[in-house]
Amino acid sequence: MTTSWAPRSTLAGGWSCVPPGSAPTRNSRRWPATLVEEAQTGKAAVQRLADRVSAVFVPIVIALAVGTLAFWLGAGSPVSAAFTAAVAVLIIACPCALGLATPTALLVGTGRGAQLGILIKGPEVLESTRRVDTIVLDKTGTITTGQMALVDVLTVPGVESDEVLRLAGALENASEHPVARAIARGARDRVGELGDVEDFTSTEGLGVQGVVDGHAVIAGRTALLEQWSVHLPDELAEAKAAAERQGSTAIAVGWDGRAKAILVIADTVKPTSAEAISQLRGLGLTPVLLTGDNDAVARSVAAEVGIEGDGAVIAEVLPRDKVDVVARLQAEGHVVAMVGDGVNDAAALAQADLGLAMGTGTDVAIEAGDLTLVRGDLRAAVDAIRLSRRTLRTIKGNLFWAFAYNVAALPLAAAGLLNPMLAGAAMAFSSVFVVSNSLRLRAFRSTVTGAAAPADGRTQQPAVLT
């Protein structure tokens, strides 16, 4: 009996999933508290601008104070009056409020985000959220629940479904892909314990193959079967097409050189996905569905959640090509955000201008993203963008009023119309104003019911990250 087949061509290698037991260790990951600390102590682009302005502003103020002193002395004013005016200039121009403008807003904004299950990796992320105009959404685990289930086994005449499940279940049990887990779980429920697989190979984005009980078994896309000169008979091709029209995923199974069955896998759309996509549109973002599933399944899901328009659905994309899709959108002039949760999304998350990783996903995706959404709810992405934009607006508002206050008060101080004691009180008030304005971020409300911070104000720590 033949236990292996010779492929007609050599496929590009690459892993589509993390092999069992190869998950990152605890020390290889940055934990929520560390992410929040990094974001709060980092420096946003708008703060660097303020620093550059301050580097010019401070010498000018010192020169203005010296000029004020010289002017009033030259005008014959008493020395005490001249010094009073000069000191008032220095006090009123003290850039305390400028120094507080960014750190206080970052501290409150990122802290509030952590309470809502939004972990921001760095302050530069805030600038990205302002400019984003396109958001690319992975399907499985992001728009859909990712909890796939085996719903049907369609076989050719003479082949029992239990035999299909015994062989395909053992093969898929060696994979970590959500579809594979669904098949293995369904097979285990039907036929009991699954056997071992030998010579297991996972082909990126196409499927798996191996030897089970002396049979060379292959499961995946029809493209993978065709690589081994295995073609679907008409009855299986029709069953596959019918399943895909209904929005299900169809996996072809064959062994010993023949296609024997179609496994129908169903995934359900999260009940909040349509609402989240509507809210993303309200933020001025264009949603794009990106998936490795077939076009019929992708369009069925897109229609259910309200993703429409030319180029809004990009299906049958291999994992290694997802990053190319994001790069192409960027080359077309779009500022792209990417939401994903799997190993196959990691490169695209890193390529995107803003990467949002679902905290319910893999460690690699979480590490590659700029924002981690602890909740497996797409509305958390809406909250993340809203909060980031609001934090950035608060920072800019703080900087504006700090500069405006200094510029408006300097002429009064130089003219001798402002007592140094009043100047000190006004300067202190400007700092209080900046801090109070930043604290308004604590009132930010989530779009997700029940997602408010705990009563004791402690940060919610996700089980997936701790």
Side-chain angles (χ1 to χ4, degrees), residues 100-418:
L100 292 171
T102 298
T104 53
L106 278 177
L107 183 70
V108 179
T110 54
R112 181 57 179 157
Q115 289 178 331
L116 297 175
I118 302 167
L119 304 180
I120 302 174
K121 286 191 176 179
E124 66 278 356
V125 172
L126 304 178
E127 294 286 343
S128 299
T129 60
R130 177 179 62 85
R131 298 179 291 109
V132 164
D133 58 32
T134 301
I135 184 163
V136 177
L137 305 168
D138 175 52
K139 182 182 77 68
T140 304
T142 301
I143 293 179
T144 65
T145 62
Q147 298 299 317
M148 295 187 171
L150 177 65
V151 296
D152 203 358
V153 180
L154 308 171
T155 66
V156 295
V159 176
E160 297 293 331
S161 60
D162 282 0
E163 182 183 11
V164 175
L165 291 176
R166 181 174 56 81
L167 296 176
L171 177 64
E172 297 285 14
N173 194 42
S175 174
E176 292 291 329
H177 193 280
V179 171
R181 288 199 296 267
I183 294 173
R185 186 168 55 249
R188 193 177 295 108
D189 292 342
R190 287 274 297 272
V191 300
E193 289 301 315
L194 302 174
D196 296 327
V197 59
E198 300 175 1
D199 299 329
F200 175 80
T201 302
S202 173
T203 303
E204 184 183 24
L206 293 178
V208 292
Q209 61 200 54
V211 178
V212 180
D213 292 342
H215 299 281
V217 186
I218 187 167
R221 293 187 184 182
T222 54
L224 179 61
L225 271 68
E226 289 173 355
Q227 291 287 341
W228 298 85
S229 300
V230 178
H231 302 281
L232 289 183
D234 291 341
E235 61 268 32
L236 290 185
E238 292 173 1
K240 177 178 181 295
E244 291 174 347
R245 282 196 298 270
Q246 296 175 357
S248 300
T249 298
I251 300 298
V253 179
W255 61 86
D256 297 340
R258 288 186 56 211
K260 302 293 183 74
I262 293 291
L263 302 178
V264 181
I265 313 300
D267 189 10
T268 56
V269 173
K270 294 177 182 178
T272 59
S273 292
E275 178 186 352
I277 289 169
S278 175
Q279 292 171 348
L280 289 170
R281 289 186 184 277
L283 294 174
L285 306 181
T286 301
V288 175
L289 177 62
L290 178 65
T291 179
D293 279 346
N294 66 77
D295 189 67
V297 172
R299 293 192 179 279
S300 174
V301 171
E304 187 172 348
V305 299
I307 296 178
E308 54 189 18
D310 294 338
V313 178
I314 304 175
E316 300 183 18
V317 178
L318 294 177
R320 62 176 176 268
D321 294 333
K322 288 186 177 182
V323 66
D324 296 331
V325 172
V326 173
R328 175 172 58 79
L329 290 170
Q330 291 171 325
E332 293 173 357
H334 298 289
V335 180
V336 181
M338 169 77 185
V339 185
D341 71 329
V343 173
N344 295 335
D345 302 321
L349 287 169
Q351 172 67 34
D353 299 285
L354 177 67
L356 296 93
M358 305 294 278
T360 52
T362 63
D363 298 336
V364 176
I366 292 171
E367 186 65 24
D370 300 306
L371 287 164
T372 299
L373 312 176
V374 173
R375 303 188 306 273
D377 188 331
L378 190 56
R379 290 177 298 178
V382 179
D383 287 342
I385 294 173
R386 287 177 54 237
L387 178 59
S388 297
R389 288 181 175 180
R390 183 167 169 181
T391 302
L392 183 61
R393 285 198 302 270
T394 300
I395 292 173
K396 291 183 175 180
N398 287 346
L399 292 173
F400 171 79
W401 286 112
F403 276 116
Y405 154 79
N406 286 326
V407 172
L410 277 175
L412 296 176
L417 301 177
L418 196 60

Side-chain angles (χ1 to χ4, degrees), residues 70-77:
F71 172 80
W72 287 114
L73 289 175
S77 297

